[in-house]
Amino acid sequence: MYSEFIDAILTSELRTKSSDHKVLDVGCGSGQYVFALSQKGYDAFGTDVEFKPGAHLERLIQEGKLKKIEAVSRKDITETNANYLWPFEDSSFDSVASRAVVEHVKNMDEFVAENRRVIRANGYSIHYFPSMYSLIEPHVGVPLGGFITSRSYFRLCCNMGLCYKKYKGSSLKAHNYVKEFTEYRKVSEIIKAFESGGFEYYGNYTNYLLKYYKKGKYSFIGKSKFLLWLFRLFRSNIVVFKACITNKK
């Protein structure tokens, strides 16, 4: 689904051609979407602080398609806000994309700066992430757990089983995960951060997610401004930014 709507946004909305478009998947995990985008004709690369096991992982690493952010670990970033650089040259990509990454970013200014550094002028930055107000927090399953983060609330929910199975009766584990590894922001705050870092806000393209989610089962939501607004508020967003010609703030 991710590779499909990224491809659709790039080709339909941004008028690019996959055959000459170089794209970086930030927070690529196992590299499955790097492989999928490559299959669609893109010159696709990926980077992450930690890789996850996957069918194409070793092959992509050997081909130089996946490169690890070596300077820091995930713990370093979240605990010390350590400086980090993506392992790619300046102005080397036409687009940067991410899936379920922005809500984990503690060092937003550095994240935006690295986006801008590796993207060519007039290139695009595309990010798909859950809303702060998601009805079900997507990592631990606690209702509104990205917004209501008190320990007592998590204890109540986890004791009642209002969470993913692995966290039932383990509220401290669920609460610690959200506190340590997520950093939910309002969409307006994310837009402001990118605009301050050399981008212009290009638009919200969440309707493309709905077009491909569950094979288009919920595409009707994207056709209603009100339903789409509700989905963006209580579920997910796809936002697109365009790199300014100069990097002046």
Side-chain angles (χ1 to χ4, degrees):
M1 179 186 70
Y2 172 67
S3 59
E4 290 176 331
F5 69 67
I6 291 296
D7 176 47
I9 291 172
L10 287 173
T11 56
S12 298
E13 292 293 336
L14 307 181
R15 302 293 189 268
T16 65
K17 294 181 180 179
S18 62
S19 59
D20 58 4
H21 199 88
K22 190 174 180 181
V23 60
L24 174 64
D25 181 19
V26 176
C28 63
S30 67
Q32 62 174 316
Y33 298 118
V34 173
F35 177 78
L37 287 167
S38 297
Q39 292 295 101
K40 292 181 180 294
Y42 292 93
D43 187 11
F45 292 76
T47 191
D48 208 330
V49 176
E50 299 170 354
F51 292 140
K52 298 177 181 178
H56 309 289
L57 180 65
E58 294 304 322
R59 174 185 166 188
L60 290 170
I61 291 175
Q62 290 175 4
E63 293 176 349
K65 291 292 188 176
L66 298 188
K67 296 184 179 182
K68 199 170 184 180
I69 302 173
E70 298 288 357
V72 292
S73 68
R74 193 179 303 277
K75 187 175 182 181
D76 289 331
I77 294 174
T78 56
E79 290 188 355
T80 68
N81 198 34
N83 292 322
Y84 79 125
L85 293 173
W86 297 349
F88 298 97
E89 299 295 326
D90 295 1
S91 303
S92 52
F93 291 95
D94 297 296
S95 294
V96 168
S98 77
R99 172 187 178 274
V101 170
V102 169
E103 78 273 16
H104 296 292
V105 174
K106 299 282 187 178
N107 51 337
M108 181 57 76
D109 289 343
E110 288 180 299
F111 180 78
V112 172
E114 283 302 281
N115 268 266
R116 184 61 191 89
R117 183 182 67 80
V118 303
I119 295 177
R120 296 165 183 147
N122 290 324
Y124 298 95
S125 189
I126 307 168
H127 302 281
Y128 162 41
F129 54 89
S131 169
M132 170 190 286
Y133 307 107
S134 291
L135 294 180
I136 302 297
E137 200 285 327
H139 304 95
V140 299
V142 171
L144 293 172
F147 177 63
I148 306 174
T149 59
S150 70
R151 184 170 295 181
S152 58
Y153 175 72
F154 269 64
R155 184 182 302 115
L156 173 65
C157 288
C158 291
N159 286 343
M160 293 177 64
L162 298 177
C163 59
Y164 292 146
K165 187 176 180 179
K166 64 185 284 187
Y167 293 108
K168 186 175 181 179
S170 302
S171 62
L172 183 60
K173 185 177 179 180
H175 186 262
N176 284 346
Y177 181 92
V178 170
K179 281 294 188 179
E180 292 179 17
F181 295 108
T182 68
E183 187 71 31
Y184 284 99
R185 297 173 176 86
K186 296 178 181 178
V187 175
S188 59
E189 293 174 332
I190 295 168
I191 292 173
K192 183 177 180 180
F194 272 85
E195 288 181 332
S196 297
F199 290 89
E200 62 178 84
Y201 176 57
Y202 200 80
N204 190 303
Y205 291 91
T206 308
N207 57 308
Y208 275 87
L209 166 63
L210 291 161
K211 184 177 179 180
Y212 291 98
Y213 180 65
K214 299 288 186 181
K215 297 183 178 180
K217 184 178 180 180
Y218 300 102
S219 60
F220 69 92
I221 295 175
K223 299 176 182 178
S224 164
K225 289 184 178 180
F226 178 66
L227 292 179
L228 182 58
W229 175 79
L230 286 177
F231 185 91
R232 286 161 52 180
L233 180 64
F234 293 116
R235 183 62 183 267
S236 304
N237 283 268
I238 300 175
V239 293
V240 178
F241 303 94
K242 186 174 183 179
C244 298
I245 294 176
T246 62
N247 199 19
K248 293 180 180 179
K249 296 182 180 182

